[in-house]
Short mmCIF file of all heavy atoms in Angstrom, two decimals:
data_model
loop_
_atom_site.label_atom_id
_atom_site.label_comp_id
_atom_site.label_asym_id
_atom_site.label_seq_id
_atom_site.Cartn_x
_atom_site.Cartn_y
_atom_site.Cartn_z
N PRO Q 3 1.97 4.80 1.34
CA PRO Q 3 1.81 5.66 2.52
C PRO Q 3 1.39 7.06 2.12
O PRO Q 3 1.70 7.52 1.03
CB PRO Q 3 3.21 5.66 3.13
CG PRO Q 3 4.12 5.31 2.03
CD PRO Q 3 3.35 4.45 1.09
N GLN Q 19 21.64 -17.20 -0.12
CA GLN Q 19 20.28 -16.96 -0.60
C GLN Q 19 20.28 -15.88 -1.68
O GLN Q 19 20.96 -14.86 -1.56
CB GLN Q 19 19.39 -16.52 0.57
CG GLN Q 19 19.27 -17.54 1.67
CD GLN Q 19 18.63 -18.82 1.15
OE1 GLN Q 19 17.68 -18.78 0.39
NE2 GLN Q 19 19.17 -19.96 1.57
N LEU Q 23 13.86 -8.51 -5.50
CA LEU Q 23 13.40 -7.12 -5.45
C LEU Q 23 11.94 -7.07 -5.86
O LEU Q 23 11.52 -7.76 -6.79
CB LEU Q 23 14.20 -6.24 -6.41
CG LEU Q 23 15.61 -5.87 -6.01
CD1 LEU Q 23 16.32 -5.25 -7.22
CD2 LEU Q 23 15.60 -4.88 -4.87
N ASP Q 27 4.13 0.56 -7.03
CA ASP Q 27 3.72 1.90 -7.41
C ASP Q 27 2.21 1.89 -7.55
O ASP Q 27 1.67 1.24 -8.43
CB ASP Q 27 4.38 2.32 -8.72
CG ASP Q 27 4.10 3.78 -9.05
OD1 ASP Q 27 3.52 4.48 -8.21
OD2 ASP Q 27 4.45 4.18 -10.16
N PRO Q 34 12.26 -3.87 -11.63
CA PRO Q 34 13.25 -3.21 -12.49
C PRO Q 34 14.50 -4.06 -12.65
O PRO Q 34 14.73 -5.01 -11.91
CB PRO Q 34 13.56 -1.93 -11.72
CG PRO Q 34 13.30 -2.29 -10.31
CD PRO Q 34 12.15 -3.26 -10.32
N PHE Q 44 14.77 4.41 -1.13
CA PHE Q 44 13.74 3.59 -0.52
C PHE Q 44 13.71 3.86 0.98
O PHE Q 44 14.67 4.33 1.57
CB PHE Q 44 13.95 2.10 -0.81
CG PHE Q 44 15.25 1.53 -0.30
CD1 PHE Q 44 15.34 1.04 0.99
CD2 PHE Q 44 16.37 1.48 -1.12
CE1 PHE Q 44 16.53 0.50 1.45
CE2 PHE Q 44 17.56 0.95 -0.66
CZ PHE Q 44 17.64 0.46 0.63
N ARG Q 45 12.57 3.61 1.58
CA ARG Q 45 12.37 3.89 3.00
C ARG Q 45 12.21 2.62 3.83
O ARG Q 45 12.42 2.64 5.02
CB ARG Q 45 11.11 4.75 3.17
CG ARG Q 45 11.24 6.15 2.59
CD ARG Q 45 12.16 7.01 3.40
NE ARG Q 45 12.19 8.37 2.92
CZ ARG Q 45 13.04 8.83 2.03
NH1 ARG Q 45 13.93 8.01 1.50
NH2 ARG Q 45 13.01 10.08 1.65
N GLN Q 73 9.75 10.31 -7.93
CA GLN Q 73 10.64 11.45 -7.99
C GLN Q 73 10.86 12.00 -6.60
O GLN Q 73 10.03 11.86 -5.72
CB GLN Q 73 10.04 12.53 -8.88
CG GLN Q 73 9.91 12.15 -10.33
CD GLN Q 73 9.24 13.25 -11.13
OE1 GLN Q 73 8.46 14.02 -10.59
NE2 GLN Q 73 9.55 13.32 -12.40
N LYS Q 77 10.07 17.90 0.08
CA LYS Q 77 10.17 17.29 1.41
C LYS Q 77 11.33 16.31 1.47
O LYS Q 77 12.09 16.27 2.46
CB LYS Q 77 8.85 16.58 1.74
CG LYS Q 77 8.82 15.96 3.13
CD LYS Q 77 7.46 15.32 3.38
CE LYS Q 77 7.42 14.66 4.76
NZ LYS Q 77 6.10 14.01 5.01
N ARG Q 124 2.68 22.71 -9.14
CA ARG Q 124 2.04 21.47 -9.54
C ARG Q 124 1.39 21.64 -10.90
O ARG Q 124 0.76 22.67 -11.18
CB ARG Q 124 0.99 21.08 -8.51
CG ARG Q 124 0.44 19.67 -8.71
CD ARG Q 124 -0.57 19.34 -7.62
NE ARG Q 124 -1.02 17.95 -7.74
CZ ARG Q 124 -1.98 17.41 -6.98
NH1 ARG Q 124 -2.57 18.15 -6.06
NH2 ARG Q 124 -2.32 16.16 -7.15
N HIS Q 139 26.02 20.37 -9.46
CA HIS Q 139 26.53 20.39 -8.08
C HIS Q 139 27.09 21.76 -7.72
O HIS Q 139 27.53 21.97 -6.59
CB HIS Q 139 27.63 19.34 -7.92
CG HIS Q 139 27.19 17.94 -8.21
ND1 HIS Q 139 26.31 17.24 -7.39
CD2 HIS Q 139 27.49 17.10 -9.23
CE1 HIS Q 139 26.11 16.03 -7.90
NE2 HIS Q 139 26.81 15.92 -9.01
N GLU Q 143 25.53 28.22 -8.98
CA GLU Q 143 24.56 28.08 -10.06
C GLU Q 143 23.18 27.73 -9.51
O GLU Q 143 22.16 28.19 -10.03
CB GLU Q 143 25.02 27.01 -11.04
CG GLU Q 143 26.17 27.44 -11.93
CD GLU Q 143 25.80 28.64 -12.80
OE1 GLU Q 143 24.70 28.64 -13.39
OE2 GLU Q 143 26.60 29.59 -12.86
N GLU Q 149 16.73 31.56 -8.10
CA GLU Q 149 16.45 32.99 -8.17
C GLU Q 149 16.59 33.66 -6.80
O GLU Q 149 15.74 34.46 -6.36
CB GLU Q 149 15.05 33.23 -8.76
CG GLU Q 149 14.92 32.69 -10.18
CD GLU Q 149 13.55 32.94 -10.78
OE1 GLU Q 149 12.65 33.39 -10.05
OE2 GLU Q 149 13.39 32.68 -12.00
N LEU Q 150 17.69 33.34 -6.13
CA LEU Q 150 17.95 33.88 -4.80
C LEU Q 150 19.19 34.78 -4.78
O LEU Q 150 19.73 35.06 -3.71
CB LEU Q 150 18.15 32.73 -3.81
CG LEU Q 150 16.91 31.87 -3.50
CD1 LEU Q 150 17.29 30.68 -2.63
CD2 LEU Q 150 15.83 32.71 -2.83
N ARG Q 159 25.62 41.45 2.56
CA ARG Q 159 25.89 42.85 2.91
C ARG Q 159 25.56 43.12 4.37
O ARG Q 159 26.26 43.89 5.04
CB ARG Q 159 25.08 43.77 2.01
CG ARG Q 159 25.61 43.89 0.59
CD ARG Q 159 24.68 44.70 -0.27
NE ARG Q 159 25.23 44.95 -1.61
CZ ARG Q 159 24.53 45.45 -2.63
NH1 ARG Q 159 23.25 45.75 -2.46
NH2 ARG Q 159 25.11 45.64 -3.79
N ASP Q 170 33.28 30.52 1.67
CA ASP Q 170 33.92 29.22 1.93
C ASP Q 170 33.07 28.08 1.37
O ASP Q 170 33.59 27.14 0.75
CB ASP Q 170 34.12 29.02 3.44
CG ASP Q 170 35.17 29.95 4.02
OD1 ASP Q 170 35.99 30.48 3.24
OD2 ASP Q 170 35.17 30.15 5.25
N TYR Q 180 37.96 13.57 -4.30
CA TYR Q 180 39.30 13.14 -4.67
C TYR Q 180 40.39 13.84 -3.86
O TYR Q 180 41.57 13.55 -4.04
CB TYR Q 180 39.54 13.40 -6.16
CG TYR Q 180 38.56 12.67 -7.07
CD1 TYR Q 180 37.66 13.39 -7.85
CD2 TYR Q 180 38.53 11.28 -7.13
CE1 TYR Q 180 36.76 12.74 -8.69
CE2 TYR Q 180 37.63 10.63 -7.95
CZ TYR Q 180 36.75 11.36 -8.73
OH TYR Q 180 35.85 10.71 -9.54
N SER Q 187 39.83 21.87 8.30
CA SER Q 187 39.10 22.38 7.13
C SER Q 187 37.69 21.81 7.07
O SER Q 187 36.73 22.50 6.70
CB SER Q 187 39.86 22.06 5.84
OG SER Q 187 39.92 20.66 5.61
N ASP Q 190 35.68 23.60 9.72
CA ASP Q 190 35.35 24.96 9.27
C ASP Q 190 34.19 24.96 8.29
O ASP Q 190 33.32 25.83 8.35
CB ASP Q 190 36.58 25.62 8.63
CG ASP Q 190 37.64 25.99 9.65
OD1 ASP Q 190 37.35 25.98 10.86
OD2 ASP Q 190 38.78 26.27 9.23
N LEU Q 191 34.19 23.98 7.37
CA LEU Q 191 33.10 23.92 6.39
C LEU Q 191 31.77 23.61 7.07
O LEU Q 191 30.75 24.24 6.78
CB LEU Q 191 33.40 22.87 5.32
CG LEU Q 191 32.31 22.73 4.24
CD1 LEU Q 191 32.17 24.01 3.44
CD2 LEU Q 191 32.59 21.55 3.32
N ILE Q 192 31.79 22.65 7.98
CA ILE Q 192 30.55 22.29 8.68
C ILE Q 192 30.04 23.45 9.51
O ILE Q 192 28.83 23.71 9.57
CB ILE Q 192 30.79 21.03 9.54
CG1 ILE Q 192 31.00 19.81 8.64
CG2 ILE Q 192 29.61 20.78 10.48
CD1 ILE Q 192 31.38 18.54 9.36
#
Side-chain angles (χ1 to χ4, degrees):
Q19 299 298 318
L23 285 168
D27 187 8
F44 61 87
R45 294 288 185 269
Q73 295 177 332
K77 183 179 179 181
R124 190 178 185 186
H139 301 290
E143 286 299 314
E149 299 181 351
L150 292 174
R159 285 174 174 169
D170 291 341
Y180 300 115
S187 65
D190 288 347
L191 180 64
I192 291 174

